[in-house]
Amino acid sequence: MTATTNISCVHRTTCRLCNSSDVAIVLPMVPTPVADDYVSSDRVAVPQQAFPLDLYQCGACGHVQLLDVVNPDILFGNYTYTTSVSLGLTEHFRRYAAEMIERGALGDDSLVVEIGSNDGTLLRFFKVQGIRVLGVDAASGIAAQATAAGIPTLPTYFTVDLARQIRRDHGAAALVAANNVFAHVDDLGGVADGIRELLADDGAFVFEVSYLVDIVEKMLFDTVYHEHLCYHSIKPLQRFFRAHGLELFDVQRTASKGGSLRCFVQRSGGPHAMQAVVEERVRLEIDSGLDSPAPFRALHERLQSLKSELLETIDRLLGEGKMIAGYGASATVTTLSHYFDLGSRVEYLVDDNPRKHGMFSPGHHLPVLASDALYERRPDCVVILAWAYAEPILQRHARFTAEGGRFILPMPRLRIVGR
Ligand SMILES: [Zn+2]
């Protein structure tokens, strides 16, 4: 159920998992443009549209989600990120494939389908073992590259109709994998129905998502941006799958992206045994109040007090005539710098990703420079906006502090390093 506000962003009025209209804001956020839409100099004069980013919780099933859905063509239309560029991720997928092959006893006649298969990095690890693979990815440029490189990839969105077509053309899937896309799709009901159509009776759907428990406990509020529509926990998912003729039978915690959840799902009545860990985790979620607004209210208060502390410090330094830069130019930085209102306080950003150099940050249009700027331009203070990487950044730039520079860490508590 949706009500169109404009063509770029649609506001849902119901829960994405259970369709209840009992939804309320639990974590008010600051509107931002698309978080990874860093712009080149020719777009700097054009203001970028900001979209609401508030987190809602469903009173019926507890699911935490964004209800403001930015048009996927705007979000992913220029999507050029390829998995194989990220070396850590490639190793993660190699191990993932080995584990799935063993666990699912996959062999030559098995079909593995991946939704959101990107450049085929994961599927390649199945293919080299002689397993049949098929990718689905709506980023048509990347899909074409993957196909040309030997990983057949359908350049489209995954729907029930597509699932039926795949089953007709290739047979039922022993494994359907989806990594992160389960947080990206608005019509999750349609995806679940498609997966039920596509799965073999003894097949498994396996997906990885960031875990809401980690987001709350580690205060990863800056992982909230428009690409991530859902902030999953097990209790709401269990009920959701049941309603779609599926069954969540196992979960594992993984360390990727600050804390993730790997979920195993089969068709209702399938042969895989229900693992005790599922109910244990649901119990932990209930005991920590995760299905209620309480932990989000606490997070909101903590963030608000961090914000005043940070701005007090920065405004005092600015009053002394100090020059302040920011470290990091990622999607999380967009959420964080808007939330903490840093756009007019920071002069420029530095980042170690050469692809970001010469670009300007979403909304604030702060120039992004190489981290050499710390030594060439000598800012007095650098706020580490990419705070998850604070330790490696501090180590790499020990010279900056040794030469009198100061780092400010905004999270998880305010900390100043240097004189
Ligand atoms: Zn719900």
Side-chain angles (χ1 to χ4, degrees):
M1 189 79 74
T2 55
T4 304
T5 48
N6 63 53
I7 53 161
S8 314
C9 184
V10 167
H11 183 78
R12 280 183 76 100
T13 55
T14 58
C15 171
R16 191 167 285 111
L17 289 190
C18 78
N19 284 321
S20 167
S21 50
D22 178 14
V23 283
I25 294 180
V26 285
L27 188 63
M29 298 285 286
V30 174
T32 72
V34 171
D36 217 14
D37 193 14
Y38 283 76
V39 301
S40 47
S41 55
D42 56 333
R43 281 176 63 201
V44 132
V46 186
Q48 280 167 283
Q49 196 180 351
F51 307 104
L53 192 62
D54 300 315
L55 266 191
Y56 290 76
Q57 187 172 43
C58 172
C61 77
H63 179 51
V64 172
Q65 58 203 300
L66 300 186
L67 291 182
D68 296 283
V69 182
V70 176
N71 184 333
D73 293 338
I74 296 178
L75 276 182
F76 303 110
N78 298 322
Y79 201 68
T80 53
Y81 173 80
T82 51
T83 308
S84 56
V85 172
S86 169
L87 291 175
L89 213 51
T90 303
E91 175 55 20
H92 171 73
F93 283 156
R94 190 190 61 73
R95 271 185 272 122
Y96 175 100
E99 222 178 298
M100 293 306 122
I101 291 169
E102 194 189 330
R103 200 180 156 126
L106 304 179
D108 291 358
D109 56 342
S110 305
L111 172 68
V112 175
V113 176
E114 187 184 10
I115 306 168
S117 51
N118 196 270
D119 59 2
T121 301
L122 173 62
L123 288 177
R124 194 170 304 280
F125 290 115
F126 290 98
K127 196 186 171 186
V128 294
Q129 301 296 326
I131 296 166
R132 291 186 297 135
V133 299
L134 181 65
V136 178
D137 202 302
S140 51
I142 293 173
Q145 279 173 35
T147 302
I151 304 296
T153 304
L154 304 173
T156 182
Y157 291 103
F158 184 80
T159 60
V160 177
D161 287 342
L162 185 75
R164 290 190 180 125
Q165 186 198 320
I166 294 173
R167 193 172 177 132
R168 264 198 315 271
D169 296 349
H170 303 272
L175 174 67
V176 177
N179 292 298
N180 304 310
V181 288
F182 219 62
H184 291 173
V185 177
D186 186 32
D187 180 20
L188 276 188
V191 171
D193 289 337
I195 287 162
R196 193 190 57 243
E197 291 290 318
L198 180 56
L199 271 185
D201 289 342
D202 61 349
F205 166 50
V206 182
F207 66 100
E208 274 184 32
V209 285
S210 296
Y211 191 20
L212 183 61
V213 166
D214 293 300
I215 294 172
V216 171
E217 284 178 356
K218 298 175 188 164
M219 296 203 287
L220 306 174
F221 81 106
D222 47 353
T223 62
V224 177
Y225 43 86
H226 295 101
E227 285 90 330
H228 296 160
L229 293 170
C230 289
Y231 301 83
H232 286 295
S233 52
I234 296 164
K235 187 181 168 221
L237 279 173
Q238 204 180 25
R239 170 175 162 163
F240 165 75
F241 284 119
R242 222 175 269 147
H244 290 274
L246 294 162
E247 182 183 44
L248 180 65
F249 67 90
D250 197 6
V251 291
Q252 290 172 354
R253 298 291 304 272
T254 68
S256 56
K257 299 200 170 184
S260 298
L261 205 55
R262 184 181 290 172
C263 299
F264 297 78
V265 173
Q266 64 182 341
R267 297 177 72 143
S268 295
H272 304 285
M274 172 63 68
Q275 300 300 311
V277 65
V278 177
E279 282 309 322
E280 285 163 20
R281 283 257 141 231
V282 168
R283 178 52 50 198
L284 285 175
E285 289 176 1
I286 294 172
D287 290 348
S288 62
L290 205 68
D291 56 346
S292 78
F296 306 97
R297 282 198 196 118
L299 179 59
H300 174 69
E301 279 166 28
R302 182 82 191 101
L303 288 170
Q304 287 298 309
S305 88
L306 269 173
K307 177 179 177 176
S308 8
E309 226 182 323
L310 176 67
L311 291 190
E312 211 172 282
T313 304
I314 288 181
D315 288 344
R316 181 172 44 76
L317 291 165
L318 288 171
E320 292 167 6
K322 305 285 195 217
M323 172 76 77
I324 300 185
Y327 207 115
S330 59
T332 60
V333 166
T334 302
T335 297
L336 186 137
S337 58
H338 280 79
Y339 191 93
F340 287 149
D341 200 10
L342 298 176
S344 60
R345 293 176 163 93
V346 168
E347 206 70 20
Y348 52 88
L349 303 178
V350 300
D351 195 85
D352 295 308
N353 179 354
R355 286 156 56 126
K356 291 280 165 62
H357 300 160
M359 306 291 274
F360 296 82
S361 70
H364 298 140
H365 290 174
L366 299 170
V368 183
L369 312 173
S371 59
D372 298 348
L374 299 191
Y375 307 98
E376 288 155 7
R377 299 200 176 199
R378 299 245 154 229
D380 298 292
C381 300
V382 177
V383 186
I384 302 188
L385 305 170
W387 59 281
Y389 303 95
E391 286 314 317
I393 290 169
L394 289 174
Q395 279 171 24
R396 193 175 319 141
H397 296 291
R399 180 184 149 204
F400 178 68
T401 38
E403 292 177 356
R406 217 181 289 181
F407 282 111
I408 301 176
L409 280 68
M411 302 276 297
R413 58 185 179 80
L414 188 66
R415 197 178 126 205
I416 296 173
V417 179
R419 278 169 279 177

